[in-house]
Amino acid sequence: MYVQMADHVNRVAFETIHKVDKINKATRLWEDYFPNGDVEIDIVTADESYNYVVGDEVVASLMKVGTLPDDYEKVYSAYE
């Protein structure tokens, strides 16, 4: 699946496209986008996303290309 990262806490959508087909890749992307996030996350898979969950809150998602929220600030890359 081709996906883009959405940070739900800060309402930021990253336009960089990634191919993710395994949970390991989703874990590595979490570490790339949120390197200082020493928080325990669960990754919950859905039909069109991988959701990063802390407690009961979805804090970020890898969302299928074309499904990012329109009202989020758009940023090309986490490395800008």
Side-chain angles (χ1 to χ4, degrees), residues 1-4 17-20 48 62-66:
M1 174 170 36
Y2 289 92
V3 296
Q4 296 167 289
I17 297 172
H18 304 279
K19 181 178 181 184
V20 176
E48 296 190 350
L62 285 172
M63 304 177 74
K64 185 177 177 183
V65 171

Side-chain angles (χ1 to χ4, degrees), residues 40-42 44 51-59:
E40 193 152 327
I41 60 157
D42 291 314
V44 179
N51 298 311
Y52 300 98
V53 179
V54 176
D56 292 333
E57 181 180 1
V58 177
V59 296

Side-chain angles (χ1 to χ4, degrees), residues 11-79:
R11 301 179 63 78
V12 174
F14 298 94
E15 295 182 333
T16 304
I17 297 172
H18 304 279
K19 181 178 181 184
V20 176
D21 52 6
K22 296 184 180 176
I23 200 80
N24 290 345
K25 176 73 177 203
T27 302
R28 284 194 306 274
L29 285 171
W30 168 265
E31 294 166 355
D32 287 350
Y33 278 87
F34 306 102
N36 297 322
D38 290 333
V39 62
E40 193 152 327
I41 60 157
D42 291 314
I43 300 176
V44 179
T45 59
D47 287 342
E48 296 190 350
S49 67
Y50 290 86
N51 298 311
Y52 300 98
V53 179
V54 176
D56 292 333
E57 181 180 1
V58 177
V59 296
S61 298
L62 285 172
M63 304 177 74
K64 185 177 177 183
V65 171
T67 63
L68 288 173
D70 290 332
D71 59 336
Y72 280 26
E73 175 187 357
K74 301 292 190 286
V75 176
Y76 177 72
S77 170
Y79 310 107

